[in-house]
Amino acid sequence: MSVVDPRLSINQATIKYADLATALRVTADAGIEAIGLWREPVQEVGLATAAAMLTDSGLRFTTHCRAGFFTMPEGPARRSSIDDNRVAIDEAAALAAAGAPGSTAILVLVAGGLPEGSRDIVGARERVRDAIGELAPHAKAAGVTLAIEPLHPMFASDRCVVSTLGQALDIAADFEPEVVGATVDTFHIFWDPDVLPAIERAGREGRIATYQVCDWRTPLPADVLLSRHYPGDGVIDFASLTRAVEATGYDRDIEVEIFNADIWAADPAEVVRRTAEAFGAAVTPHLSGARTPTA
């Protein structure tokens, strides 16, 4: 196999059906240096055990996915969501501390969709801002960055009322950059005519918490959530987006996060190998140079 880019991180969603032990093993065995974890596999074994497993793997920890989902009006459901987000912050801090040097304590936030029966998308976004305001002090104390992830507009009703990087940055602007930033995910933002100025703004404001890549290809499946592809297998211009992110000074790990039923059904070791090859062909040529991990 060709040399693996040292900045590549496997987001665990790419190998969704692999348990934590398998995900860590196949990632390390492929020569990949970093991994982003999801809450469910971590909780399956318990946080302390997961942290020990991560330490033993020798991998850097790049993000914890995912928290958020707090667009509902005030009431027990919203209180429960806020409380669960605080738990997620603590998980992210513990895992970042357990990872290899260069690990980052980043919690990815997906805002949530429109509450049942609501058409007030503006109000829903305001409740996102309010929720982050409640969580920011806890995140700051824990040393965790909350990374607001804008999702493609096709998810605005059911999954995420924040659809553009600009909207995410407008919400983040109320908070310190090290506490609230943004997730730059190529799948969700490549279509936006303002994406390059938004990336420049994100860099200028110190808000790029993580850069995630995968590709977009049509026709979309019936479940559009599962429409992501390996970098290079679709229409996204990784050259312009990656160079724009690099131009901001972003020099940390880059995650590949894929939701795709066929990829999930494949052997996890083969998936990470294929991911490394795709990343090397589609993303690596547009990076400025090798990364030297720092604590």
Side-chain angles (χ1 to χ4, degrees), residues 21-87:
T22 302
L24 294 169
R25 175 178 54 80
V26 298
T27 299
D29 286 352
I32 296 166
E33 299 180 12
I35 192 167
L37 298 181
W38 274 65
R39 298 188 67 198
E40 293 82 359
V42 167
Q43 292 173 349
E44 188 175 76
V45 300
L47 180 58
T49 297
M53 293 167 65
L54 177 61
T55 298
D56 290 344
S57 75
L59 296 171
R60 291 189 298 275
F61 171 78
T62 50
T63 66
H64 199 36
C65 290
R66 57 186 163 59
F69 295 95
F70 33 43
T71 51
M72 66 284 284
E74 186 55 60
R78 184 172 173 84
R79 285 304 101 202
S80 177
S81 176
I82 297 293
D83 289 344
D84 185 56
N85 274 264
R86 291 193 177 99
V87 172

Side-chain angles (χ1 to χ4, degrees), residues 7 22 35 48 51 67 69 72-73 75 81 101 114 131 147 152 154 183 186 189 193 215 221 232 241 248 288:
R7 292 178 64 181
T22 302
I35 192 167
F69 295 95
M72 66 284 284
S81 176
L114 282 170
H152 190 280
M154 65 184 173
T183 298
T186 59
I189 65 171
D215 220 331
L241 294 173
T248 70
S288 57

Side-chain angles (χ1 to χ4, degrees), residues 246-268:
E246 286 276 289
T248 70
Y250 182 89
D251 62 355
R252 299 194 304 276
D253 294 312
I254 301 169
E255 290 187 358
V256 175
E257 182 187 53
I258 301 173
F259 293 72
N260 182 299
D262 292 336
I263 291 172
W264 286 349
D267 175 63

